[in-house]
Each structure stands twice: as structure tokens, then as C-alpha cells.
Amino acid sequence: MTTVKEAIEAMIRERNVETGRVSGLSRQIIAQMNTLQTGILVNFESLPGINSSGEAHLNLYLQAGAREALRAALRSGIAQQPSLRMTINSAFRTVAQQHILYRVYQRDPKLIPLAAKPGNSNHEDGLAIDVNNYNAWKTYLLANGWQWLGGNDPVHFFNTNGRDDISTLGVKAFQSLWNRYNPTDRMTVDGNFGDQTAAKMDRCPIRGFSVVSVFRLGDNGAVVTRIQQHLTNVGFSVPINGVFDDKTKAAVIKFQLKQGLAADGDVGPMTLKLLGIRL
Ligand SMILES: [Zn+2]
């Protein structure tokens, strides 16, 4: 398990901001938004003409009205140029992703020169897309109700046709999701992303909430450091660097084999217990 805060620290250290690292948490937030307001966000990946890179940070969701306007723009573009495809850089952004961008912007404006506070970007309302090949699509988007603010942010288009105002829904979804998994540490579900909500976001697992914590290859943070220390203490020496790397995984597998556990290299509740680690 890696927390949002630990992931942010790693991104700043590595000079590489990758909001796809919270894709698990993001999926849970989107599902919770659709639970709180039934069907508010609809997937548009399957619209003819959409080219999806499948990158982890991409959430191909819009509100229904915007999706229909996108469908119309795609249809008119393809009618003119049958081979034309639209490549999306960014679409729906969850409050967790926006939190990362805002935190990095606060800490290191060289890395992220500008970011809206969570709850204040129209990518969070399911009304905006960033189109990589915007020159090819601009005419068709503008003819179908999409708006464009000009050359400062040329990839950015937004559509407010028949929209619902959901500016607080993403934050409410996160707050209620947190409360469900942290019944002894609840917060007010007010849709306001204040300091208390931000601090709790920092403590969230990037892969999303679950009943059990599992630490595995690619994780980083304080618990990984403890796992490495305990492995080293019991004779499976690894570099103690807080990064669950290949060497750590190999040592975990050796430890699990010795203990008669399923040797998958993932540190779940049993492996943690036998290493003597209590979270
Ligand atoms: Zn944009």
C-alpha cells in the first residue's frame, strides 16, 4: 500500500507527475459519484472515432449532454475525413488527481506551473476534454456546441449543454467514500475541499480503499521501509530505501517460502504478521 502523500513525495523526487498512480482510488471516486447522483458520468471510450491510449490517468467520462455533443462532433469530422481519429490527452479528472496537481503546484511550481484547487476545474465536472490533435478537430467541435478559450490552452474544449452543476459532487463522493472505510475517523460530507479533507486525502491508499492492506512491487513509503528493515533483520538483507523494488520482492518470496506461505512476493496481512509488523 502506498498513500497519496507518499506517491506525491515520489513524484516530486523523481520530477515526474503521474496522476495515473491514483487510478484505483479514482475509479472508486467515479463509482461513488455515480452512486450519489445516478448515472451523472458516462463513459465515452466506445464512441466511434475516439483513439484511447489506455493510459492510467485517463478517465474517459463526461456528463451525458457533453458526450452527445462529442458524438456529433466525431460524426461530422469522420464524415469529412473518414480516417480522422481524436486523441484525448485528458478528460474527467477526479478530486484525487486534482489534489496531486495542486499539492505539487504548491510545493514545486517549476514542476506544475498552474493548478486549480480541487473542486474548481471543469475537468472535474465532466464537461471538458483536452484534445491532442486539436487543429484537426477544432472546426467540428466548435460546430457542435463545444467552446474553446484560445491559444493559451489550445487543447482544452468544454461543453455546458444541458449540464448538471456537480461542482461539489466529486468532493462529496470522496468524503463519503472515506467515511465508509474509516468509520471511527469520519468527516463532514459538505463538498468543501478544506484542510481537513486534504489531509485525509493524503492518507488514502492510491489503489483505493480495501479491507486489507497489501504492499507489492512498485509501492513506496514508510511501511515499505519497515518491511525492508524487518526482512534484513531476519536474514533476508535488502537495501532499505522505502521502494518496493525487485530486490525487495525477491527477498519477500524467500521469506514466504521459508515460512510456508504462498510465495507471491506480495506482503499481505499474513506476511506482515510473520515479519512482526503491525500497521
Ligand atoms: Zn483542459
Side-chain angles (χ1 to χ4, degrees), residues 185-224:
D185 184 18
R186 296 171 64 85
M187 64 177 141
T188 312
V189 180
D190 58 6
N192 175 27
F193 200 88
D195 291 346
Q196 191 205 26
T197 305
K200 285 182 163 54
M201 178 67 84
D202 277 332
R203 288 163 50 200
C204 286
I206 58 172
R207 283 197 297 266
F209 295 103
S210 73
V211 182
V212 292
S213 301
V214 178
F215 299 84
R216 60 169 68 107
L217 190 65
D219 282 337
N220 60 275
V223 179
V224 175

mmCIF file of all heavy atoms in Angstrom, residues 185-224:
data_model
loop_
_atom_site.group_PDB
_atom_site.id
_atom_site.type_symbol
_atom_site.label_atom_id
_atom_site.label_comp_id
_atom_site.label_asym_id
_atom_site.label_seq_id
_atom_site.Cartn_x
_atom_site.Cartn_y
_atom_site.Cartn_z
ATOM 1 N N ASP A 185 -13.195 7.528 12.074
ATOM 2 C CA ASP A 185 -12.468 8.775 11.787
ATOM 3 C C ASP A 185 -13.216 9.542 10.697
ATOM 4 O O ASP A 185 -12.666 9.900 9.669
ATOM 5 C CB ASP A 185 -11.036 8.422 11.331
ATOM 6 C CG ASP A 185 -10.177 9.660 11.109
ATOM 7 O OD1 ASP A 185 -10.537 10.738 11.614
ATOM 8 O OD2 ASP A 185 -9.146 9.543 10.420
ATOM 9 N N ARG A 186 -14.495 9.787 10.958
ATOM 10 C CA ARG A 186 -15.359 10.348 9.915
ATOM 11 C C ARG A 186 -15.140 11.843 9.729
ATOM 12 O O ARG A 186 -14.595 12.516 10.600
ATOM 13 C CB ARG A 186 -16.832 10.091 10.274
ATOM 14 C CG ARG A 186 -17.194 8.616 10.315
ATOM 15 C CD ARG A 186 -18.588 8.408 10.873
ATOM 16 N NE ARG A 186 -19.604 8.993 10.014
ATOM 17 C CZ ARG A 186 -20.142 8.374 8.968
ATOM 18 N NH1 ARG A 186 -19.778 7.147 8.673
ATOM 19 N NH2 ARG A 186 -21.045 8.975 8.227
ATOM 20 N N MET A 187 -15.571 12.340 8.577
ATOM 21 C CA MET A 187 -15.560 13.788 8.357
ATOM 22 C C MET A 187 -16.919 14.231 7.825
ATOM 23 O O MET A 187 -17.727 13.417 7.376
ATOM 24 C CB MET A 187 -14.438 14.195 7.400
ATOM 25 C CG MET A 187 -14.553 13.663 5.992
ATOM 26 S SD MET A 187 -13.194 14.292 4.966
ATOM 27 C CE MET A 187 -12.831 12.839 3.988
ATOM 28 N N THR A 188 -17.154 15.534 7.889
ATOM 29 C CA THR A 188 -18.417 16.092 7.403
ATOM 30 C C THR A 188 -18.460 16.018 5.880
ATOM 31 O O THR A 188 -17.489 16.380 5.216
ATOM 32 C CB THR A 188 -18.529 17.572 7.825
ATOM 33 O OG1 THR A 188 -18.209 17.651 9.211
ATOM 34 C CG2 THR A 188 -19.923 18.112 7.594
ATOM 35 N N VAL A 189 -19.585 15.542 5.351
ATOM 36 C CA VAL A 189 -19.748 15.478 3.896
ATOM 37 C C VAL A 189 -20.376 16.792 3.438
ATOM 38 O O VAL A 189 -21.597 16.936 3.374
ATOM 39 C CB VAL A 189 -20.615 14.261 3.492
ATOM 40 C CG1 VAL A 189 -20.790 14.203 1.970
ATOM 41 C CG2 VAL A 189 -19.969 12.972 3.987
ATOM 42 N N ASP A 190 -19.519 17.792 3.192
ATOM 43 C CA ASP A 190 -20.037 19.124 2.855
ATOM 44 C C ASP A 190 -19.624 19.574 1.452
ATOM 45 O O ASP A 190 -19.986 20.667 1.015
ATOM 46 C CB ASP A 190 -19.561 20.153 3.895
ATOM 47 C CG ASP A 190 -18.044 20.216 4.008
ATOM 48 O OD1 ASP A 190 -17.353 19.547 3.209
ATOM 49 O OD2 ASP A 190 -17.545 20.935 4.896
ATOM 50 N N GLY A 191 -18.851 18.738 0.746
ATOM 51 C CA GLY A 191 -18.458 19.116 -0.615
ATOM 52 C C GLY A 191 -17.395 20.196 -0.672
ATOM 53 O O GLY A 191 -17.077 20.699 -1.742
ATOM 54 N N ASN A 192 -16.838 20.529 0.482
ATOM 55 C CA ASN A 192 -15.829 21.588 0.540
ATOM 56 C C ASN A 192 -14.454 20.965 0.775
ATOM 57 O O ASN A 192 -14.236 20.301 1.783
ATOM 58 C CB ASN A 192 -16.201 22.557 1.676
ATOM 59 C CG ASN A 192 -15.136 23.622 1.870
ATOM 60 O OD1 ASN A 192 -14.409 23.969 0.940
ATOM 61 N ND2 ASN A 192 -15.025 24.118 3.084
ATOM 62 N N PHE A 193 -13.533 21.194 -0.156
ATOM 63 C CA PHE A 193 -12.210 20.580 -0.040
ATOM 64 C C PHE A 193 -11.301 21.474 0.801
ATOM 65 O O PHE A 193 -10.452 22.206 0.294
ATOM 66 C CB PHE A 193 -11.607 20.342 -1.430
ATOM 67 C CG PHE A 193 -10.517 19.309 -1.438
ATOM 68 C CD1 PHE A 193 -10.812 17.974 -1.614
ATOM 69 C CD2 PHE A 193 -9.194 19.678 -1.248
ATOM 70 C CE1 PHE A 193 -9.811 17.007 -1.616
ATOM 71 C CE2 PHE A 193 -8.184 18.723 -1.248
ATOM 72 C CZ PHE A 193 -8.500 17.391 -1.430
ATOM 73 N N GLY A 194 -11.502 21.422 2.117
ATOM 74 C CA GLY A 194 -10.691 22.223 3.032
ATOM 75 C C GLY A 194 -9.477 21.445 3.517
ATOM 76 O O GLY A 194 -9.173 20.352 3.028
ATOM 77 N N ASP A 195 -8.797 22.021 4.509
ATOM 78 C CA ASP A 195 -7.559 21.408 5.013
ATOM 79 C C ASP A 195 -7.781 20.003 5.562
ATOM 80 O O ASP A 195 -6.958 19.113 5.374
ATOM 81 C CB ASP A 195 -6.948 22.283 6.118
ATOM 82 C CG ASP A 195 -6.406 23.587 5.554
ATOM 83 O OD1 ASP A 195 -6.265 23.678 4.313
ATOM 84 O OD2 ASP A 195 -6.134 24.504 6.346
ATOM 85 N N GLN A 196 -8.911 19.813 6.265
ATOM 86 C CA GLN A 196 -9.169 18.506 6.875
ATOM 87 C C GLN A 196 -9.349 17.441 5.790
ATOM 88 O O GLN A 196 -8.800 16.341 5.880
ATOM 89 C CB GLN A 196 -10.436 18.592 7.746
ATOM 90 C CG GLN A 196 -10.640 17.377 8.617
ATOM 91 C CD GLN A 196 -12.113 17.164 8.996
ATOM 92 O OE1 GLN A 196 -13.032 17.589 8.292
ATOM 93 N NE2 GLN A 196 -12.329 16.501 10.112
ATOM 94 N N THR A 197 -10.100 17.798 4.754
ATOM 95 C CA THR A 197 -10.331 16.849 3.661
ATOM 96 C C THR A 197 -9.017 16.563 2.930
ATOM 97 O O THR A 197 -8.717 15.414 2.593
ATOM 98 C CB THR A 197 -11.385 17.413 2.689
ATOM 99 O OG1 THR A 197 -12.567 17.726 3.435
ATOM 100 C CG2 THR A 197 -11.740 16.409 1.615
ATOM 101 N N ALA A 198 -8.221 17.609 2.715
ATOM 102 C CA ALA A 198 -6.937 17.427 2.020
ATOM 103 C C ALA A 198 -6.015 16.509 2.824
ATOM 104 O O ALA A 198 -5.336 15.639 2.261
ATOM 105 C CB ALA A 198 -6.277 18.785 1.789
ATOM 106 N N ALA A 199 -6.003 16.681 4.156
ATOM 107 C CA ALA A 199 -5.135 15.847 4.995
ATOM 108 C C ALA A 199 -5.559 14.385 4.929
ATOM 109 O O ALA A 199 -4.719 13.479 4.929
ATOM 110 C CB ALA A 199 -5.170 16.354 6.436
ATOM 111 N N LYS A 200 -6.863 14.150 4.862
ATOM 112 C CA LYS A 200 -7.334 12.766 4.763
ATOM 113 C C LYS A 200 -7.027 12.198 3.380
ATOM 114 O O LYS A 200 -6.673 11.026 3.247
ATOM 115 C CB LYS A 200 -8.821 12.696 5.089
ATOM 116 C CG LYS A 200 -9.083 12.833 6.601
ATOM 117 C CD LYS A 200 -10.550 12.706 6.924
ATOM 118 C CE LYS A 200 -10.824 12.422 8.393
ATOM 119 N NZ LYS A 200 -10.216 13.357 9.339
ATOM 120 N N MET A 201 -7.152 13.028 2.362
ATOM 121 C CA MET A 201 -6.789 12.565 1.014
ATOM 122 C C MET A 201 -5.335 12.097 0.993
ATOM 123 O O MET A 201 -5.006 11.077 0.380
ATOM 124 C CB MET A 201 -7.004 13.691 -0.003
ATOM 125 C CG MET A 201 -6.609 13.339 -1.429
ATOM 126 S SD MET A 201 -7.645 12.073 -2.175
ATOM 127 C CE MET A 201 -9.018 13.076 -2.760
ATOM 128 N N ASP A 202 -4.458 12.838 1.671
ATOM 129 C CA ASP A 202 -3.043 12.454 1.722
ATOM 130 C C ASP A 202 -2.846 11.049 2.286
ATOM 131 O O ASP A 202 -1.887 10.367 1.953
ATOM 132 C CB ASP A 202 -2.258 13.451 2.591
ATOM 133 C CG ASP A 202 -1.851 14.694 1.815
ATOM 134 O OD1 ASP A 202 -1.686 14.599 0.583
ATOM 135 O OD2 ASP A 202 -1.691 15.755 2.450
ATOM 136 N N ARG A 203 -3.752 10.654 3.176
ATOM 137 C CA ARG A 203 -3.593 9.356 3.852
ATOM 138 C C ARG A 203 -4.244 8.203 3.105
ATOM 139 O O ARG A 203 -4.161 7.045 3.538
ATOM 140 C CB ARG A 203 -4.183 9.449 5.269
ATOM 141 C CG ARG A 203 -3.325 10.306 6.209
ATOM 142 C CD ARG A 203 -4.093 10.730 7.452
ATOM 143 N NE ARG A 203 -4.746 9.611 8.115
ATOM 144 C CZ ARG A 203 -5.772 9.737 8.964
ATOM 145 N NH1 ARG A 203 -6.243 10.935 9.243
ATOM 146 N NH2 ARG A 203 -6.297 8.678 9.527
ATOM 147 N N CYS A 204 -4.901 8.483 1.983
ATOM 148 C CA CYS A 204 -5.617 7.424 1.256
ATOM 149 C C CYS A 204 -4.659 6.497 0.525
ATOM 150 O O CYS A 204 -3.620 6.920 0.042
ATOM 151 C CB CYS A 204 -6.536 8.043 0.205
ATOM 152 S SG CYS A 204 -7.965 8.804 0.902
ATOM 153 N N PRO A 205 -5.046 5.228 0.397
ATOM 154 C CA PRO A 205 -4.260 4.312 -0.434
ATOM 155 C C PRO A 205 -4.474 4.615 -1.914
ATOM 156 O O PRO A 205 -5.615 4.773 -2.349
ATOM 157 C CB PRO A 205 -4.810 2.931 -0.073
ATOM 158 C CG PRO A 205 -6.128 3.166 0.563
ATOM 159 C CD PRO A 205 -6.215 4.591 1.016
ATOM 160 N N ILE A 206 -3.384 4.707 -2.673
ATOM 161 C CA ILE A 206 -3.520 5.096 -4.086
ATOM 162 C C ILE A 206 -4.291 4.060 -4.894
ATOM 163 O O ILE A 206 -4.896 4.386 -5.897
ATOM 164 C CB ILE A 206 -2.151 5.367 -4.761
ATOM 165 C CG1 ILE A 206 -1.240 4.145 -4.691
ATOM 166 C CG2 ILE A 206 -1.484 6.590 -4.170
ATOM 167 C CD1 ILE A 206 0.031 4.297 -5.518
ATOM 168 N N ARG A 207 -4.264 2.799 -4.457
ATOM 169 C CA ARG A 207 -5.012 1.782 -5.213
ATOM 170 C C ARG A 207 -6.472 1.731 -4.798
ATOM 171 O O ARG A 207 -7.232 0.904 -5.292
ATOM 172 C CB ARG A 207 -4.370 0.405 -5.027
ATOM 173 C CG ARG A 207 -3.105 0.223 -5.870
ATOM 174 C CD ARG A 207 -2.724 -1.240 -5.999
ATOM 175 N NE ARG A 207 -2.391 -1.824 -4.724
ATOM 176 C CZ ARG A 207 -1.152 -1.905 -4.237
ATOM 177 N NH1 ARG A 207 -0.140 -1.451 -4.932
ATOM 178 N NH2 ARG A 207 -0.927 -2.442 -3.066
ATOM 179 N N GLY A 208 -6.859 2.597 -3.869
ATOM 180 C CA GLY A 208 -8.244 2.612 -3.418
ATOM 181 C C GLY A 208 -8.385 1.910 -2.082
ATOM 182 O O GLY A 208 -7.479 1.209 -1.630
ATOM 183 N N PHE A 209 -9.527 2.124 -1.468
ATOM 184 C CA PHE A 209 -9.772 1.541 -0.153
ATOM 185 C C PHE A 209 -10.077 0.065 -0.282
ATOM 186 O O PHE A 209 -10.771 -0.364 -1.196
ATOM 187 C CB PHE A 209 -10.976 2.220 0.510
ATOM 188 C CG PHE A 209 -10.745 3.660 0.819
ATOM 189 C CD1 PHE A 209 -11.294 4.645 0.024
ATOM 190 C CD2 PHE A 209 -9.971 4.027 1.905
ATOM 191 C CE1 PHE A 209 -11.082 5.981 0.306
ATOM 192 C CE2 PHE A 209 -9.753 5.361 2.199
ATOM 193 C CZ PHE A 209 -10.312 6.340 1.395
ATOM 194 N N SER A 210 -9.570 -0.709 0.653
ATOM 195 C CA SER A 210 -9.987 -2.100 0.727
ATOM 196 C C SER A 210 -9.881 -2.517 2.175
ATOM 197 O O SER A 210 -9.320 -1.808 3.002
ATOM 198 C CB SER A 210 -9.133 -2.995 -0.161
ATOM 199 O OG SER A 210 -7.863 -3.143 0.407
ATOM 200 N N VAL A 211 -10.427 -3.658 2.464
ATOM 201 C CA VAL A 211 -10.451 -4.103 3.847
ATOM 202 C C VAL A 211 -9.049 -4.506 4.301
ATOM 203 O O VAL A 211 -8.670 -4.299 5.435
ATOM 204 C CB VAL A 211 -11.454 -5.266 4.008
ATOM 205 C CG1 VAL A 211 -11.529 -5.710 5.452
ATOM 206 C CG2 VAL A 211 -12.821 -4.813 3.528
ATOM 207 N N VAL A 212 -8.263 -5.083 3.391
ATOM 208 C CA VAL A 212 -6.903 -5.475 3.768
ATOM 209 C C VAL A 212 -5.880 -4.626 3.019
ATOM 210 O O VAL A 212 -6.114 -4.187 1.900
ATOM 211 C CB VAL A 212 -6.611 -6.970 3.476
ATOM 212 C CG1 VAL A 212 -7.421 -7.858 4.376
ATOM 213 C CG2 VAL A 212 -6.847 -7.294 2.020
ATOM 214 N N SER A 213 -4.736 -4.419 3.665
ATOM 215 C CA SER A 213 -3.648 -3.681 3.038
ATOM 216 C C SER A 213 -2.640 -4.665 2.460
ATOM 217 O O SER A 213 -2.224 -5.591 3.146
ATOM 218 C CB SER A 213 -2.940 -2.808 4.069
ATOM 219 O OG SER A 213 -3.857 -1.909 4.633
ATOM 220 N N VAL A 214 -2.276 -4.454 1.215
ATOM 221 C CA VAL A 214 -1.258 -5.289 0.581
ATOM 222 C C VAL A 214 -0.173 -4.367 0.028
ATOM 223 O O VAL A 214 -0.472 -3.335 -0.567
ATOM 224 C CB VAL A 214 -1.865 -6.145 -0.562
ATOM 225 C CG1 VAL A 214 -0.777 -6.961 -1.240
ATOM 226 C CG2 VAL A 214 -2.963 -7.045 -0.033
ATOM 227 N N PHE A 215 1.079 -4.750 0.276
ATOM 228 C CA PHE A 215 2.215 -3.978 -0.235
ATOM 229 C C PHE A 215 2.908 -4.827 -1.287
ATOM 230 O O PHE A 215 3.167 -6.014 -1.060
ATOM 231 C CB PHE A 215 3.175 -3.632 0.904
ATOM 232 C CG PHE A 215 2.519 -2.797 1.967
ATOM 233 C CD1 PHE A 215 1.775 -3.402 2.971
ATOM 234 C CD2 PHE A 215 2.596 -1.422 1.929
ATOM 235 C CE1 PHE A 215 1.124 -2.638 3.927
ATOM 236 C CE2 PHE A 215 1.951 -0.651 2.880
ATOM 237 C CZ PHE A 215 1.214 -1.256 3.885
ATOM 238 N N ARG A 216 3.181 -4.210 -2.436
ATOM 239 C CA ARG A 216 3.770 -5.010 -3.509
ATOM 240 C C ARG A 216 4.678 -4.165 -4.394
ATOM 241 O O ARG A 216 4.802 -2.954 -4.194
ATOM 242 C CB ARG A 216 2.672 -5.678 -4.339
ATOM 243 C CG ARG A 216 1.701 -4.728 -5.001
ATOM 244 C CD ARG A 216 0.829 -5.481 -5.996
ATOM 245 N NE ARG A 216 -0.075 -6.413 -5.347
ATOM 246 C CZ ARG A 216 -1.401 -6.223 -5.223
ATOM 247 N NH1 ARG A 216 -1.955 -5.142 -5.700
ATOM 248 N NH2 ARG A 216 -2.142 -7.124 -4.629
ATOM 249 N N LEU A 217 5.288 -4.849 -5.373
ATOM 250 C CA LEU A 217 6.225 -4.223 -6.308
ATOM 251 C C LEU A 217 5.673 -2.889 -6.815
ATOM 252 O O LEU A 217 4.535 -2.815 -7.256
ATOM 253 C CB LEU A 217 6.463 -5.180 -7.484
ATOM 254 C CG LEU A 217 7.588 -4.821 -8.458
ATOM 255 C CD1 LEU A 217 8.936 -4.868 -7.759
ATOM 256 C CD2 LEU A 217 7.582 -5.773 -9.651
ATOM 257 N N GLY A 218 6.488 -1.838 -6.728
ATOM 258 C CA GLY A 218 6.072 -0.522 -7.207
ATOM 259 C C GLY A 218 5.589 0.394 -6.099
ATOM 260 O O GLY A 218 5.492 1.600 -6.292
ATOM 261 N N ASP A 219 5.266 -0.173 -4.915
ATOM 262 C CA ASP A 219 4.852 0.670 -3.797
ATOM 263 C C ASP A 219 6.058 1.401 -3.217
ATOM 264 O O ASP A 219 7.205 0.997 -3.409
ATOM 265 C CB ASP A 219 4.210 -0.183 -2.693
ATOM 266 C CG ASP A 219 2.772 -0.555 -3.037
ATOM 267 O OD1 ASP A 219 2.160 0.165 -3.844
ATOM 268 O OD2 ASP A 219 2.285 -1.564 -2.499
ATOM 269 N N ASN A 220 5.768 2.477 -2.506
ATOM 270 C CA ASN A 220 6.845 3.148 -1.786
ATOM 271 C C ASN A 220 6.278 3.745 -0.507
ATOM 272 O O ASN A 220 5.067 3.845 -0.351
ATOM 273 C CB ASN A 220 7.493 4.248 -2.648
ATOM 274 C CG ASN A 220 6.517 5.328 -3.057
ATOM 275 O OD1 ASN A 220 5.809 5.194 -4.051
ATOM 276 N ND2 ASN A 220 6.429 6.394 -2.284
ATOM 277 N N GLY A 221 7.168 4.100 0.401
ATOM 278 C CA GLY A 221 6.710 4.772 1.607
ATOM 279 C C GLY A 221 7.221 4.134 2.885
ATOM 280 O O GLY A 221 8.046 3.210 2.880
ATOM 281 N N ALA A 222 6.691 4.669 3.999
ATOM 282 C CA ALA A 222 7.213 4.324 5.319
ATOM 283 C C ALA A 222 7.037 2.841 5.652
ATOM 284 O O ALA A 222 7.920 2.233 6.268
ATOM 285 C CB ALA A 222 6.525 5.186 6.374
ATOM 286 N N VAL A 223 5.903 2.259 5.269
ATOM 287 C CA VAL A 223 5.692 0.846 5.604
ATOM 288 C C VAL A 223 6.652 -0.034 4.801
ATOM 289 O O VAL A 223 7.160 -1.038 5.302
ATOM 290 C CB VAL A 223 4.220 0.438 5.376
ATOM 291 C CG1 VAL A 223 4.023 -1.038 5.693
ATOM 292 C CG2 VAL A 223 3.295 1.280 6.249
ATOM 293 N N VAL A 224 6.931 0.363 3.565
ATOM 294 C CA VAL A 224 7.892 -0.399 2.756
ATOM 295 C C VAL A 224 9.265 -0.382 3.438
ATOM 296 O O VAL A 224 9.955 -1.405 3.508
ATOM 297 C CB VAL A 224 7.965 0.159 1.313
ATOM 298 C CG1 VAL A 224 9.044 -0.561 0.513
ATOM 299 C CG2 VAL A 224 6.614 0.022 0.619
#
